[in-house]
Amino acid sequence: MIAPRRLLTALIAWTVVSPAAGAAAQASTATISANVATLAKLTLSRSTAAFPDADPDTMPQVAATGGAITISVKARARPATVVLLTVQASGDLRSGLSVIPATNITWTATGTGFVAGTVSAVSPVTLASWTGSGLRSGTQSLFFRNLWTHPTGTFTVSLVYTLTSP
Amino acid sequence: MTKAVWSGVITAAAVLLCSTQAMAQQTDTKTVTITATVNAKAKLTVGPAAVSFADADPDVTPVLPASAAVTVDVKSRTTTNGAVTLTVQSGGNLVSGSDSIAIANLTWTAAGTGFAAGTMATTAVSLGGWTGGGTQSGTQSYLLANSWDYKTGTYTATITYTLTAP
């Protein structure tokens, strides 16, 4: 024997959850949008590199101490566009009034998309390029062209790495 | 109806805004500071290590030429506009037992940029001079004044070459 009150409650609940016979159907849409913007993130394993003094005859190319710089690139780009990593010197190597052209710094590179090159103080030089989004990594080994004609001193310059994701 | 229009306008604006952000080119930059140490260096190569003068009639050959010209190779690294000097100095007169010939009888001619002729002495005499570092090469041809006054014997002297790069 079901109590009348419980029977009424069950009836109301069934009425609510079951589609009413003969009721009009209503379609509704929800528009989902996800904003995927272009991004560029560049990570270098070191922020300094030093070339020690050496005899130009025995070491015409001086490698930077500490080994290669590991470069990690994260880029989100439009389809079929080129993600570009460039290097440019802030100027020539300077020690007081003495100057050594930045072109005396060269590099070799490993990793997909990375290429060897010569530093320029005039314009950016391509270190790596890829098509489209992705995570990439490689290494860059810096070298200093060691010449007898270089003036003596402790020379410094900054290398600016720029990652562009179009 | 009006509500639907405004809703569409807002949606379009939102989509436009999102796509503008997505289309914007993104860049990331990092800097590596380079230091290069370039110290002063001087490297001198002289050859052959010994030259000789053959005996001759002073009337026929008043000046004796050495058996070979001395080739002098200079490599130096110095400050900008630093004065690189090359000097020669005899350890004493030409000596044969207790006999001697004054070292001033030994002279030389020279060929090569920055090299100069001179007369040997027991003090340093300039053989070459240059401004700034680099590599230089020249020859030094020794001459010995031949005299009836010389006592017979085999005379020797040691010449010291000194290259200085400040």
Side-chain angles (χ1 to χ4, degrees):
Chain A
M1 182 72 181
I2 302 173
R5 188 168 182 165
R6 291 185 67 180
L7 180 63
L8 180 62
T9 303
L11 187 61
I12 291 170
W14 179 83
T15 304
V16 169
V17 297
S18 66
Q26 182 178 356
S28 178
T29 60
T31 302
I32 306 299
S33 65
N35 180 21
V36 181
T38 54
L39 283 175
K41 193 174 287 185
L42 174 63
T43 306
L44 305 181
S45 62
R46 288 191 288 120
S47 60
T48 60
F51 299 107
D53 180 57
D55 185 330
D57 287 342
T58 57
M59 199 174 291
Q61 295 282 341
V62 179
T65 56
I69 299 173
T70 300
I71 300 168
S72 299
V73 167
K74 296 178 180 177
R76 211 156 57 184
R78 285 179 289 142
T81 57
V82 175
V83 175
L84 188 64
L85 176 60
T86 62
V87 181
Q88 182 173 2
S90 59
D92 290 326
L93 292 121
R94 291 188 178 276
S95 174
L97 296 176
S98 300
V99 177
I100 295 175
T103 51
N104 285 287
I105 300 174
T106 61
W107 73 82
T108 59
T110 64
T112 303
F114 285 82
V115 294
T118 300
V119 171
S120 169
V122 178
S123 57
V125 181
T126 297
L127 169 57
S129 63
W130 308 272
T131 301
S133 303
L135 281 69
R136 284 95 177 193
S137 65
T139 63
Q140 182 193 34
S141 299
L142 293 169
F143 295 90
F144 177 64
R145 191 176 292 133
N146 193 17
L147 301 177
W148 282 104
T149 50
H150 287 332
T152 54
T154 301
F155 294 82
T156 58
V157 70
S158 293
L159 299 186
V160 179
Y161 293 70
T162 302
L163 175 67
T164 304
S165 180
Chain B
M1 182 66 181
T2 304
K3 184 179 178 183
V5 170
W6 276 112
S7 177
V9 169
I10 291 169
T11 303
V15 168
L16 187 63
L17 180 64
C18 289
S19 35
T20 302
Q21 288 175 339
M23 298 288 274
Q25 175 175 283
Q26 298 294 310
T27 62
D28 190 10
T29 61
K30 294 289 183 294
T31 301
V32 172
T33 301
I34 303 291
T35 303
T37 303
V38 179
N39 292 342
K41 284 184 171 44
K43 189 177 285 188
L44 178 62
T45 306
V46 177
V51 295
S52 60
F53 298 92
D55 182 49
D57 183 333
D59 290 339
V60 177
T61 311
V63 177
L64 302 170
S67 56
V70 176
T71 299
V72 181
D73 292 321
V74 169
K75 295 178 179 179
S76 63
R77 205 152 67 177
T78 184
T79 57
T80 302
N81 299 323
V84 177
T85 60
L86 174 63
T87 62
V88 289
Q89 180 174 353
S90 176
N93 290 327
L94 289 150
V95 173
S96 175
S98 58
D99 299 325
S100 65
I101 297 174
I103 197 64
N105 288 290
L106 183 66
T107 61
W108 71 83
T109 60
T113 303
F115 289 85
T119 301
M120 192 59 68
T122 55
T123 56
V125 181
S126 178
L127 169 59
W130 303 271
T131 300
T135 60
Q136 308 290 342
S137 186
T139 58
Q140 180 191 31
S141 300
Y142 279 110
L143 301 167
L144 179 63
N146 196 6
S147 172
W148 287 106
D149 296 332
Y150 292 161
K151 294 169 182 163
T152 56
T154 300
Y155 293 81
T156 59
T158 299
I159 311 298
T160 302
Y161 293 70
T162 303
L163 176 65
T164 304

